[in-house]
Amino acid sequence: MIEPSDAATLRQKALARWDNEGGAGPDGPQKHDLSSSVIDDMPPPTDAELVQLRVRVIALENLMIALLVETSDAQRNLARDMAAYISPRPGSTRHPLTIHAAHQMLTMIERAEHFRDTMQTGGKSV
């Protein structure tokens, strides 16, 4: 079992690598210039692209729930804490989509716990 201090150290190491991965260059993360002219030149997504995006989001959500089923209570509590932590920048107002995202995180954790409980009772709903 990982000690809490070791877990914190591992988390810090993972976060420290964040700038070095995912397309970072030798001088750190790449800057992406998404000026308004670049965005204006992009065609709107097609209906097929929007449907595909919805399918992918549903698939990712269900994969996250499957992963949450196997996590420890401490990890699920950490996910709850993260949902509670979501807040606007100082001086900004709470955005409804941000609030909804935090609620969705909690809903996925609850769904995972329900599925976990169902699996522990032999597949019978509790």
Side-chain angles (χ1 to χ4, degrees):
M1 176 158 193
I2 297 176
E3 295 294 321
S5 61
D6 293 337
T9 301
L10 290 172
R11 189 172 18 258
Q12 287 299 334
K13 285 181 180 180
L15 291 173
R17 288 192 320 262
W18 195 290
D19 285 341
N20 298 327
E21 296 176 358
D27 297 323
Q30 297 175 2
K31 303 291 184 217
H32 299 286
D33 180 21
L34 290 180
S35 63
S36 61
S37 64
V38 172
I39 293 172
D40 290 342
D41 290 341
M42 294 175 62
T46 65
D47 287 344
E49 289 170 328
L50 290 173
V51 168
Q52 191 58 239
L53 181 60
R54 285 180 180 163
V55 169
R56 288 178 178 179
V57 169
I58 292 167
L60 287 171
E61 182 177 295
N62 283 297
L63 282 171
M64 282 303 306
I65 291 168
L67 293 172
L68 285 168
V69 167
E70 294 294 325
T71 62
S72 67
D73 290 339
Q75 289 169 317
R76 284 191 305 283
N77 286 335
L78 179 61
R80 278 189 196 87
D81 291 346
M82 185 62 207
Y85 178 77
I86 293 175
S87 60
R89 291 183 294 266
S92 300
T93 57
R94 294 180 63 103
H95 191 280
L97 289 177
T98 304
I99 296 167
H100 188 65
H103 177 74
Q104 285 298 108
M105 289 173 67
L106 295 172
T107 299
M108 288 195 326
I109 296 165
E110 290 168 6
R111 288 173 60 194
E113 288 176 339
H114 175 75
F115 187 75
R116 182 182 189 155
D117 293 343
T118 301
M119 295 302 293
Q120 290 174 349
T121 59
K124 297 176 185 166
S125 185
V126 271

